[in-house]
Amino acid sequence: MSAAIVAQHVRRTSLAQRYPGILMGSLGVLAVVLSFYSLSVGATDVSMTDVFNAVIGNTGDQAAQIVVQFQLPRVLLAWLVGIALGVSGAVMQGVIRNPLAAPDVVGVTKGAGFAGMLLLLAIPGMPVVAVVPAAFAGGLAAAALVYLLAYRRGATPVRIALVGIAVSAAFEAGIRFLLVRNPLDVSAALIWLTGSLFGRSMSSVLEILPWVLVLVPLIVVWSRRLDVLGLGDDLAAGLGEPVERTRRLLLLFAVALAAAAVAVSGTIGFVGLIAPHMARRVFGGKHVASIPAAALFGVLLMIFADMLGRGLAPPLEIPAGLVTAVVGGPYFLYLLVKTGK
Amino acid sequence: MRLQAQGVQLAYDQRVIARDLTLTIPDGKVSVLIGPNGSGKSTALRALARLLPPQQGSVILDGKSIQETPTKEVARLLAILPQVLVTPESISVEDLVWFGRHPHRASLKVPSAADKEAVEWAMEVTSTAELRHQHVDQLSGGQRQRVWIALCLAQGTDLILLDEPTTYLDVAYQLEVLDLLHQLNQEQGKTVAMVLHDFNMAAEYADHVFVMRSGSLVTQGTPEDVFTCDIIRDVFGVESKVVPHPVSGKPMCIPLRAGLRTQLAVAAG
């Protein structure tokens, strides 16, 4: 009997942590299946046969053309934005050692949104490609501001979260102000800002693709460095890691990914917070597993949110950002309470 | 001698902790830095490990300035166990020990046979191999400290620095950790340099003792040399009686309460 108690008491690494490949593969398959299904959901009636036809290149009839022209870019974008936000959040949580860190919590999302909007309104007809650098600068500035305001001999997790909320609110106010001041030019900006995948075309996909293709593999390659940073500054330096340099570079990558996501899909909240959390819960703290897992959870959340927004009340479109906020808000509060204790 | 500080001035921002500090860690020995709180012993250890760049002077490792040696190269020559340790959430013993191989592995490289061997050896010597699949946060204080030491050993360095490795541990675990370090020195020839709080533990385990007070080295030598009533009074501000340990014969400092101090003074006339 006592042996049974001991066996129960001694917690060992979970199956998912020892065989991450199998579970990760299943998640990937689930995401692909869900993507195919989501191609058929929406205002127009498209059957799975049409989807199949479209995907194999048989784009003869109208339904298949709808799939290729309208649905496919959205689903691809859901993948890329989900990956970007999930990985960005995972890196921030790892580097700042803060379970509440995420692109939207530390102000990056709204900062990027504000800067992007400023550019769109200042120079009408600006292509979205140019929004990415502006969003990047805005996101970086917001993150720096939050860190400076939260810093008092180190910055505690809850402090960063609270200051982040305040700074985000200020940028949100700035965005509203721009909208009110420029009522005639806002339509493009508004579409961009709602945090939706509605009406995005293949060009949006191509705008975010290089960022994801370059930065995500780089971060995965650096995953052990992220693990080492988690051991504390002194031990990490003792293990030969140039702590400050690595930290700054990784944060830069994370802000860039989040800014690229904001530039193509507007401000979609909470994906960058929740996806890394789910990933760590299931796959443990090693970043070589939890970073790809955060990407996959991000994809699942985005596809789910976009599909729900399209399918709940067609032809009405509920922005994906609204869906993620409804799901993510309570989850964030739960984390805040848990971390604050 | 492989590791030494030459006239270093150490400071956190504007606050100068130590001025013109010179000390040499003896090779193949167990040395202990001791002193009251704020005497700069941990600061000195951090400088010796390249964690704190000196404002003046330099720390020399194998004949080269440690600040001018890349951090990765230093990590292959010298291991440091800081006082405050952050245990990553739900990590197994084996995974934690593997971090010791970080300075030897490129980002994408698969672990080599040498890496595996070093990790197995480190767990073997510290008797943590049977704990390998357990979570670190589930272990006892002594077991956990042995795992951290295993991480340092996996680095494969001959020099090991430890900042108060026994603080916050029950006395049984303190002995467990210090016995392990003693054994590593005796059997593996490791050079061990550590900061300790307790002078009796230091006397029992050290070959060489550095006594520090307000940022400077007061004296150094064998425990017999440095643990005298006068030095204990000067440095710690405590009246004590120093007697040989009944079993080991090492000096033992017994602090005296007020009543006994007067009694002692009267007896001395």
Side-chain angles (χ1 to χ4, degrees), chain A residues 9-14 17-18 97 220-222 224-225 227-228 230-242 280 284-286, chain B residues 46 51 71-72 75 78 80-82 85-86 88-90 92 95-96 99-100 102-103 105-108 133-135 137-138 148 151 155:
Chain A
H9 184 70
V10 174
R11 210 172 60 209
R12 284 164 186 276
T13 41
S14 71
Q17 275 169 264
R18 265 184 285 171
R97 274 177 240 138
V220 172
V221 167
W222 275 27
R224 206 176 64 237
R225 299 178 138 204
D227 293 342
V228 168
L231 296 171
D233 289 2
D234 274 4
L235 190 54
L239 288 170
E241 195 55 46
R280 265 207 318 277
K286 271 175 130 182
Chain B
R46 295 189 74 231
L51 299 181
T71 171
K72 206 161 186 166
L78 170 160
I80 168 88
L81 190 63
L85 296 164
V86 187
E89 58 181 320
S90 60
S92 72
D95 284 346
L96 190 65
F99 278 122
H102 186 66
R105 295 172 64 192
S107 279
L108 277 180
H133 294 305
Q134 286 190 29
H135 282 202
D137 45 24
Q138 296 268 300
W148 286 111
L151 184 159
Q155 268 178 265

Coordinates of all heavy atoms in Angstrom, one line a residue, chain A residues 9-14 17-18 97 220-222 224-225 227-228 230-242 280 284-286, chain B residues 46 51 71-72 75 78 80-82 85-86 88-90 92 95-96 99-100 102-103 105-108 133-135 137-138 148 151 155:
Chain A
H9 N 2.6 9.6 -5.5 CA 3.2 10.9 -5.1 C 4.3 11.4 -6.0 O 4.4 12.6 -6.3 CB 3.7 10.8 -3.7 CG 4.2 12.1 -3.1 ND1 3.3 13.1 -2.8 CD2 5.4 12.5 -2.9 CE1 4.0 14.1 -2.4 NE2 5.3 13.8 -2.4
V10 N 5.1 10.5 -6.4 CA 6.2 10.8 -7.3 C 5.7 11.2 -8.7 O 5.3 10.3 -9.4 CB 7.3 9.7 -7.3 CG1 8.4 10.1 -8.3 CG2 7.9 9.5 -6.0
R11 N 5.7 12.4 -9.0 CA 5.2 12.8 -10.3 C 6.3 12.6 -11.4 O 7.4 13.0 -11.2 CB 4.8 14.3 -10.3 CG 3.6 14.5 -11.3 CD 3.1 15.9 -11.1 NE 4.1 16.9 -11.3 CZ 4.2 18.1 -10.7 NH1 3.3 18.4 -9.8 NH2 5.2 18.9 -11.0
R12 N 6.0 11.9 -12.4 CA 7.0 11.7 -13.5 C 6.6 12.5 -14.7 O 5.5 13.0 -14.8 CB 7.1 10.2 -13.8 CG 7.9 9.5 -12.8 CD 7.7 8.0 -12.8 NE 8.3 7.4 -11.7 CZ 9.6 7.1 -11.6 NH1 10.4 7.3 -12.7 NH2 10.1 6.5 -10.6
T13 N 7.5 12.6 -15.7 CA 7.2 13.4 -16.9 C 6.0 12.7 -17.6 O 6.0 11.5 -17.7 CB 8.4 13.4 -17.8 OG1 9.0 12.2 -17.8 CG2 9.4 14.5 -17.3
S14 N 5.1 13.5 -18.2 CA 3.9 12.9 -18.8 C 4.3 12.3 -20.1 O 5.4 12.5 -20.7 CB 2.9 14.0 -19.0 OG 3.4 14.9 -20.0
Q17 N 5.1 14.6 -22.8 CA 6.4 15.2 -22.8 C 7.5 14.2 -23.2 O 8.5 14.6 -23.8 CB 6.7 15.6 -21.3 CG 6.2 17.0 -21.0 CD 6.3 17.3 -19.6 OE1 5.3 17.2 -18.8 NE2 7.4 17.8 -19.1
R18 N 7.2 12.9 -23.0 CA 8.2 12.0 -23.5 C 8.1 11.6 -25.0 O 9.1 11.3 -25.6 CB 8.2 10.7 -22.6 CG 9.2 10.8 -21.5 CD 9.3 9.5 -20.6 NE 8.1 9.5 -19.8 CZ 7.8 8.4 -19.1 NH1 8.5 7.3 -19.2 NH2 6.7 8.4 -18.3
R97 N 10.1 35.6 -18.6 CA 9.8 34.7 -17.5 C 8.5 35.1 -16.9 O 8.4 35.3 -15.7 CB 10.9 34.6 -16.5 CG 12.0 33.7 -16.9 CD 13.1 33.7 -15.9 NE 14.4 34.1 -16.5 CZ 15.3 34.9 -16.0 NH1 15.0 35.5 -14.9 NH2 16.4 35.2 -16.7
V220 N 13.0 28.4 -33.4 CA 13.1 27.0 -33.1 C 14.5 26.6 -32.9 O 14.9 25.8 -32.0 CB 12.3 26.2 -34.1 CG1 12.5 24.7 -33.8 CG2 10.8 26.5 -34.1
V221 N 15.4 27.0 -33.8 CA 16.8 26.7 -33.7 C 17.4 27.2 -32.4 O 18.2 26.6 -31.8 CB 17.6 27.3 -34.9 CG1 19.1 27.2 -34.7 CG2 17.2 26.5 -36.2
W222 N 16.9 28.3 -31.9 CA 17.4 29.0 -30.7 C 16.6 28.5 -29.5 O 16.8 29.0 -28.4 CB 17.2 30.5 -30.8 CG 18.4 31.1 -31.5 CD1 19.2 30.6 -32.4 CD2 18.9 32.5 -31.3 NE1 20.1 31.5 -32.8 CE2 20.0 32.6 -32.1 CE3 18.5 33.5 -30.5 CZ2 20.7 33.8 -32.2 CZ3 19.2 34.7 -30.5 CH2 20.3 34.9 -31.4
R224 N 16.9 26.1 -27.4 CA 17.6 25.7 -26.2 C 18.1 26.9 -25.5 O 18.3 27.0 -24.2 CB 18.7 24.7 -26.5 CG 19.0 23.9 -25.3 CD 20.1 22.8 -25.5 NE 21.3 23.4 -25.9 CZ 22.0 23.1 -27.0 NH1 21.5 22.3 -27.9 NH2 23.2 23.6 -27.3
R225 N 18.4 28.0 -26.3 CA 18.9 29.2 -25.6 C 17.8 29.8 -24.8 O 18.0 30.4 -23.7 CB 19.3 30.2 -26.7 CG 20.4 29.7 -27.5 CD 20.8 30.7 -28.6 NE 22.3 30.8 -28.7 CZ 22.9 31.8 -29.2 NH1 22.3 32.9 -29.6 NH2 24.2 31.8 -29.2
D227 N 15.5 28.1 -23.3 CA 15.5 27.2 -22.1 C 16.5 27.7 -21.1 O 16.2 27.8 -19.9 CB 15.8 25.8 -22.5 CG 14.7 25.1 -23.3 OD1 13.6 25.7 -23.3 OD2 14.9 24.1 -23.9
V228 N 17.7 28.0 -21.6 CA 18.8 28.4 -20.7 C 18.5 29.7 -20.0 O 18.8 29.9 -18.8 CB 20.1 28.4 -21.5 CG1 21.2 29.1 -20.7 CG2 20.6 27.0 -21.9
G230 N 15.8 30.6 -19.1 CA 14.8 30.3 -18.0 C 15.5 29.9 -16.7 O 14.8 29.8 -15.7
L231 N 16.8 29.7 -16.7 CA 17.5 29.2 -15.5 C 17.9 30.4 -14.7 O 18.5 30.2 -13.6 CB 18.7 28.4 -15.9 CG 18.4 27.1 -16.6 CD1 19.7 26.5 -17.1 CD2 17.7 26.1 -15.6
G232 N 17.6 31.6 -15.1 CA 18.1 32.8 -14.4 C 19.3 33.4 -15.0 O 20.1 32.6 -15.6
D233 N 19.5 34.7 -14.9 CA 20.6 35.3 -15.6 C 22.0 34.8 -15.3 O 22.8 34.6 -16.1 CB 20.6 36.9 -15.3 CG 19.4 37.5 -16.0 OD1 18.6 36.8 -16.6 OD2 19.3 38.7 -15.9
D234 N 22.2 34.6 -13.9 CA 23.6 34.2 -13.5 C 23.9 32.8 -14.0 O 25.0 32.6 -14.6 CB 23.7 34.2 -12.0 CG 24.1 35.6 -11.5 OD1 24.2 36.6 -12.4 OD2 24.3 35.8 -10.3
L235 N 23.0 31.9 -13.9 CA 23.3 30.5 -14.3 C 23.4 30.5 -15.8 O 24.3 29.8 -16.4 CB 22.3 29.5 -13.8 CG 22.7 28.0 -14.0 CD1 24.1 27.7 -13.4 CD2 21.7 27.1 -13.4
A236 N 22.5 31.2 -16.5 CA 22.6 31.2 -18.0 C 23.9 31.8 -18.5 O 24.6 31.2 -19.4 CB 21.4 32.1 -18.5
A237 N 24.4 32.8 -17.8 CA 25.7 33.4 -18.2 C 26.8 32.4 -17.8 O 27.8 32.2 -18.6 CB 26.0 34.7 -17.5
G238 N 26.7 31.7 -16.7 CA 27.6 30.7 -16.3 C 27.7 29.5 -17.3 O 28.7 28.9 -17.4
L239 N 26.6 29.3 -18.0 CA 26.6 28.3 -19.0 C 27.0 28.8 -20.4 O 26.8 28.1 -21.4 CB 25.2 27.6 -19.1 CG 24.8 26.8 -17.9 CD1 23.3 26.4 -17.9 CD2 25.6 25.5 -17.9
G240 N 27.5 30.0 -20.4 CA 28.1 30.5 -21.6 C 27.2 31.2 -22.6 O 27.5 31.4 -23.7
E241 N 26.0 31.6 -22.1 CA 25.0 32.3 -22.9 C 25.2 33.8 -22.7 O 25.2 34.3 -21.6 CB 23.6 31.9 -22.5 CG 22.5 32.3 -23.4 CD 22.8 31.7 -24.8 OE1 23.1 30.5 -24.9 OE2 22.6 32.5 -25.8
P242 N 25.4 34.6 -23.9 CA 25.5 36.0 -23.7 C 24.1 36.5 -23.5 O 23.3 36.9 -24.4 CB 26.0 36.5 -25.1 CG 25.8 35.3 -26.0 CD 25.6 34.1 -25.2
R280 N 2.5 24.8 -23.2 CA 3.3 24.4 -22.0 C 2.6 23.4 -21.2 O 3.2 22.5 -20.6 CB 3.6 25.7 -21.2 CG 5.0 26.2 -21.6 CD 5.6 27.0 -20.4 NE 4.6 27.8 -19.7 CZ 4.2 29.0 -20.1 NH1 4.7 29.5 -21.2 NH2 3.3 29.7 -19.4
G284 N 5.0 20.6 -21.7 CA 6.1 20.9 -20.7 C 6.8 22.1 -21.1 O 6.5 22.8 -22.1
G285 N 7.9 22.4 -20.4 CA 8.6 23.7 -20.5 C 9.7 23.8 -21.6 O 10.2 24.8 -21.8
K286 N 10.0 22.6 -22.2 CA 11.1 22.7 -23.1 C 10.6 23.4 -24.4 O 9.7 22.9 -25.0 CB 11.6 21.3 -23.5 CG 12.7 20.8 -22.5 CD 12.9 19.3 -22.9 CE 14.4 19.0 -23.1 NZ 14.6 17.6 -23.5
Chain B
R46 N 31.2 36.2 -7.8 CA 30.6 36.6 -9.1 C 31.6 37.1 -10.1 O 31.6 36.8 -11.3 CB 29.4 37.5 -9.0 CG 28.3 37.0 -8.2 CD 27.0 37.9 -8.2 NE 26.4 37.8 -9.5 CZ 26.0 38.9 -10.2 NH1 26.3 40.1 -9.7 NH2 25.5 38.7 -11.4
L51 N 30.7 36.9 -14.0 CA 29.3 37.4 -14.0 C 29.3 38.9 -13.7 O 28.3 39.6 -14.0 CB 28.5 36.7 -12.9 CG 28.4 35.2 -13.1 CD1 27.5 34.6 -12.0 CD2 27.7 34.9 -14.5
T71 N 32.3 34.3 -23.3 CA 31.6 33.6 -22.2 C 31.5 32.1 -22.4 O 31.6 31.3 -21.5 CB 30.2 34.3 -22.0 OG1 29.5 33.5 -21.1 CG2 29.4 34.4 -23.3
K72 N 31.3 31.7 -23.7 CA 31.2 30.2 -23.9 C 32.5 29.5 -23.6 O 32.4 28.4 -23.1 CB 30.8 30.0 -25.4 CG 30.1 28.8 -25.7 CD 29.3 28.8 -27.0 CE 28.5 27.6 -27.1 NZ 27.5 27.7 -28.2
A75 N 32.8 29.1 -19.9 CA 31.9 28.1 -19.4 C 32.4 26.7 -19.6 O 31.9 25.7 -19.0 CB 30.5 28.2 -20.1
L78 N 35.1 26.7 -16.4 CA 34.7 27.0 -15.1 C 33.2 26.9 -14.9 O 32.5 27.4 -15.8 CB 35.2 28.4 -14.8 CG 34.9 29.3 -13.6 CD1 35.9 30.4 -13.5 CD2 33.5 29.9 -13.7
I80 N 29.8 27.7 -12.5 CA 29.3 28.5 -11.3 C 27.9 28.1 -11.0 O 27.0 28.0 -11.8 CB 29.4 30.0 -11.6 CG1 28.7 30.9 -10.6 CG2 28.8 30.4 -13.0 CD1 29.5 31.3 -9.4
L81 N 27.7 27.9 -9.7 CA 26.3 27.6 -9.2 C 25.9 28.9 -8.4 O 26.4 29.1 -7.3 CB 26.3 26.4 -8.3 CG 24.9 25.9 -7.9 CD1 24.1 25.5 -9.2 CD2 25.0 24.7 -7.0
P82 N 25.0 29.7 -8.9 CA 24.6 30.9 -8.2 C 23.8 30.6 -7.0 O 23.3 29.4 -6.8 CB 23.7 31.7 -9.2 CG 23.9 31.0 -10.5 CD 24.3 29.6 -10.2
L85 N 18.5 30.0 -7.4 CA 18.3 29.1 -8.6 C 16.9 29.1 -9.0 O 16.0 29.0 -8.1 CB 18.8 27.7 -8.2 CG 20.3 27.7 -7.9 CD1 20.6 26.4 -7.1 CD2 21.1 27.8 -9.1
V86 N 16.6 29.2 -10.3 CA 15.3 29.2 -10.8 C 15.0 27.8 -11.4 O 15.7 27.4 -12.3 CB 15.1 30.2 -11.9 CG1 13.6 30.3 -12.3 CG2 15.6 31.6 -11.4
P88 N 13.0 25.5 -13.7 CA 11.9 25.6 -14.7 C 10.8 24.7 -14.3 O 11.0 23.7 -13.7 CB 12.6 25.1 -16.0 CG 14.1 25.2 -15.7 CD 14.2 25.0 -14.2
E89 N 9.5 25.1 -14.7 CA 8.4 24.4 -14.2 C 8.4 23.0 -14.9 O 8.8 22.8 -16.0 CB 7.1 25.1 -14.5 CG 6.8 25.5 -15.9 CD 5.5 26.2 -16.1 OE1 4.5 25.9 -15.5 OE2 5.5 27.2 -16.9
S90 N 8.0 22.0 -14.1 CA 7.9 20.6 -14.5 C 9.0 20.1 -15.4 O 8.8 19.7 -16.5 CB 6.5 20.3 -15.2 OG 6.3 21.1 -16.3
S92 N 12.4 17.5 -15.7 CA 12.9 16.2 -15.0 C 14.3 16.5 -14.7 O 15.0 17.3 -15.2 CB 12.8 15.1 -16.0 OG 13.7 15.2 -17.0
D95 N 16.7 16.1 -17.7 CA 16.7 17.3 -18.5 C 17.5 18.5 -18.0 O 18.1 19.2 -18.7 CB 15.2 17.7 -18.8 CG 14.6 16.8 -19.8 OD1 15.3 16.0 -20.5 OD2 13.3 16.8 -19.9
L96 N 17.3 18.7 -16.6 CA 18.0 19.8 -16.0 C 19.6 19.6 -16.1 O 20.3 20.5 -16.4 CB 17.6 19.9 -14.5 CG 18.1 21.2 -13.9 CD1 17.5 22.4 -14.5 CD2 17.8 21.2 -12.4
F99 N 21.4 20.6 -19.2 CA 21.8 22.0 -19.5 C 23.3 22.2 -19.3 O 23.9 23.1 -19.9 CB 21.0 22.9 -18.5 CG 19.6 23.3 -19.0 CD1 18.5 23.0 -18.2 CD2 19.4 23.8 -20.2 CE1 17.3 23.2 -18.6 CE2 18.1 24.2 -20.6 CZ 17.0 23.9 -19.8
G100 N 23.9 21.4 -18.5 CA 25.4 21.5 -18.3 C 26.1 21.4 -19.6 O 27.3 21.8 -19.7
H102 N 25.3 22.7 -22.4 CA 25.0 23.8 -23.3 C 26.2 24.5 -23.9 O 26.3 24.7 -25.1 CB 24.1 24.9 -22.5 CG 23.7 26.0 -23.4 ND1 22.8 25.8 -24.4 CD2 24.0 27.3 -23.4 CE1 22.6 27.0 -25.0 NE2 23.3 27.9 -24.4
P103 N 27.3 24.8 -23.1 CA 28.5 25.4 -23.7 C 29.2 24.5 -24.7 O 30.1 25.0 -25.4 CB 29.3 25.7 -22.5 CG 28.8 24.9 -21.3 CD 27.4 24.7 -21.6
R105 N 27.6 22.5 -26.9 CA 26.7 22.1 -28.1 C 26.3 23.3 -28.9 O 25.9 24.3 -28.4 CB 25.5 21.5 -27.5 CG 25.7 20.2 -26.8 CD 24.4 19.7 -26.1 NE 23.4 19.4 -27.1 CZ 22.1 19.1 -26.8 NH1 21.7 19.2 -25.6 NH2 21.3 18.8 -27.8
A106 N 26.5 23.1 -30.3 CA 26.0 24.1 -31.2 C 24.4 24.0 -31.2 O 23.9 23.0 -30.8 CB 26.6 23.9 -32.6
S107 N 23.8 25.0 -31.7 CA 22.3 25.1 -31.7 C 21.6 23.9 -32.3 O 20.7 23.3 -31.7 CB 21.8 26.3 -32.4 OG 21.9 27.4 -31.5
L108 N 22.1 23.4 -33.4 CA 21.3 22.4 -34.1 C 21.9 21.0 -34.0 O 21.4 20.0 -34.4 CB 21.3 22.7 -35.6 CG 20.1 23.7 -36.0 CD1 20.2 23.9 -37.5 CD2 18.8 23.1 -35.6
H133 N 14.0 10.5 -14.0 CA 12.7 10.9 -14.6 C 11.8 11.7 -13.6 O 10.7 12.1 -14.0 CB 11.9 9.6 -15.0 CG 12.6 8.9 -16.1 ND1 13.0 9.5 -17.3 CD2 13.1 7.6 -16.2 CE1 13.6 8.7 -18.1 NE2 13.7 7.5 -17.4
Q134 N 12.2 11.9 -12.4 CA 11.4 12.7 -11.5 C 11.5 14.2 -11.7 O 12.4 14.7 -12.3 CB 11.9 12.4 -10.0 CG 11.4 11.0 -9.6 CD 11.7 10.8 -8.1 OE1 11.6 11.8 -7.3 NE2 11.9 9.6 -7.7
H135 N 10.4 14.8 -11.3 CA 10.4 16.3 -11.5 C 11.3 16.9 -10.4 O 11.3 16.5 -9.2 CB 9.0 16.8 -11.3 CG 8.2 16.6 -12.6 ND1 7.1 17.4 -12.9 CD2 8.4 15.8 -13.6 CE1 6.6 17.0 -14.0 NE2 7.4 16.1 -14.5
D137 N 11.1 19.8 -8.9 CA 10.4 20.4 -7.8 C 9.8 19.5 -6.8 O 9.2 19.9 -5.8 CB 9.3 21.5 -8.3 CG 8.5 20.9 -9.5 OD1 8.4 19.6 -9.5 OD2 8.0 21.7 -10.3
Q138 N 9.9 18.2 -7.1 CA 9.3 17.2 -6.1 C 10.4 16.6 -5.2 O 10.1 15.8 -4.3 CB 8.8 16.0 -6.9 CG 7.6 16.4 -7.8 CD 6.3 16.1 -7.1 OE1 6.0 15.0 -6.6 NE2 5.5 17.2 -6.9
W148 N 21.6 20.2 -9.0 CA 22.2 21.4 -9.5 C 23.7 21.2 -9.6 O 24.3 21.7 -10.6 CB 21.9 22.6 -8.6 CG 20.5 23.1 -8.7 CD1 19.5 23.1 -7.7 CD2 19.9 23.8 -9.8 NE1 18.4 23.6 -8.2 CE2 18.6 24.1 -9.4 CE3 20.3 24.2 -11.1 CZ2 17.7 24.8 -10.3 CZ3 19.5 24.8 -11.9 CH2 18.2 25.1 -11.5
L151 N 24.5 19.3 -12.6 CA 24.4 20.2 -13.8 C 25.8 20.9 -14.0 O 26.4 20.9 -15.1 CB 23.3 21.3 -13.6 CG 23.1 22.3 -14.8 CD1 21.7 22.8 -14.6 CD2 24.0 23.4 -14.9
Q155 N 29.1 20.1 -17.1 CA 29.9 21.1 -17.8 C 31.3 20.6 -18.1 O 32.0 21.1 -19.0 CB 30.0 22.5 -17.1 CG 28.9 23.4 -17.5 CD 28.9 24.7 -16.7 OE1 28.3 24.9 -15.7 NE2 29.8 25.6 -17.2

